[in-house]
Amino acid sequence: MSHQSMKFSKLQRVLHWVMAIGILAMLFIGVGMMSTIDRAYLVLVGIHKQLGIAILVLALLRLIVRWRSGAPSLPASMSEPMKLAARLSHVAFYALMIAMPLLGWSMLSAADYPVTLAGMRLPSIVPPNAELHSILWSAHRFLAFCLFALFLLHFAAALLHAWVRRDGVFETMTFGRRGGR
């Protein structure tokens, strides 16, 4: 695992930005699903399920790539509490990027609704159970709020590093020339 580069690998940066867009879309689609009862609901649910499975696959791929490629070192100028917050927020992101789709899939399985990917029905991961569906729905909804809060915190930290601290942390995830790779 190499921690010496000045930037995340190109693949890591592509996965980061694709997933950022996907996760933000998921959050807004989820809000749209909860605020409509017309035909758009079924369309939104279909998109939400497909995108959720895609995010799960991408999150697992991202974990593998992160394990193999490592990450740039944080600047020495960052305090230890800031470094700890950065590490913990990344752990929380990975946990949520994996837990949220699994909760959604479990919730749909508990309601005996199909989850399909590329036209293929995926297996149920829990048995049909109305009470379990209700619990999973509540957990999925709660964690969606947590994910949105973490997203906002991450965005604020990115802006802090880009505009205030100007310590190179923001550039490790961008596609500009600065910092190599």
Side-chain angles (χ1 to χ4, degrees):
M1 198 166 18
S2 168
H3 291 273
Q4 300 306 320
S5 73
M6 299 287 289
K7 283 187 167 251
F8 285 95
S9 72
K10 187 172 186 176
L11 178 57
Q12 286 173 302
R13 288 178 278 151
V14 168
L15 286 169
H16 173 272
W17 291 107
V18 165
M19 290 189 71
I21 292 165
I23 289 168
L24 196 54
M26 283 294 280
L27 291 168
F28 284 104
I29 289 168
V31 169
M33 286 170 23
M34 296 298 103
S35 63
T36 188
I37 56 172
D38 65 14
R39 286 183 298 184
Y41 175 79
L42 293 176
V43 172
L44 292 173
V45 168
I47 294 168
H48 193 80
K49 289 193 291 188
Q50 294 289 309
L51 196 49
I53 296 299
I55 286 172
L56 175 61
V57 170
L58 290 173
L60 294 171
L61 174 62
R62 196 168 164 190
L63 261 178
I64 292 165
V65 171
R66 175 75 181 251
W67 178 73
R68 291 180 54 111
S69 300
S73 298
L74 294 171
S77 62
M78 279 180 65
S79 68
E80 287 305 314
M82 284 182 77
K83 289 179 182 179
L84 178 62
R87 288 183 193 102
L88 291 176
S89 70
H90 283 95
V91 168
F93 260 124
Y94 281 108
L96 288 169
M97 289 186 298
I98 293 168
M100 288 293 295
L102 288 175
L103 272 173
W105 187 356
S106 298
M107 176 184 65
L108 291 169
S109 294
D112 206 19
Y113 293 136
V115 176
T116 59
L117 181 63
M120 291 179 21
R121 185 178 176 147
L122 300 177
S124 294
I125 55 177
V126 300
N129 181 305
E131 187 177 336
L132 179 60
H133 172 265
S134 179
I135 292 166
L136 293 169
W137 187 90
S138 295
H140 191 72
R141 183 175 180 267
F142 173 75
L143 289 181
F145 285 112
C146 293
L147 182 59
F148 188 64
L150 186 59
F151 185 93
L152 292 176
L153 184 64
H154 186 71
F155 185 70
L159 295 179
L160 173 74
H161 286 286
W163 294 345
V164 178
R165 293 184 57 89
R166 298 180 183 183
D167 55 9
V169 171
F170 181 77
E171 289 78 12
T172 66
M173 197 49 85
T174 62
F175 289 95
R177 291 183 163 269
R178 188 176 163 193
R181 269 193 172 172

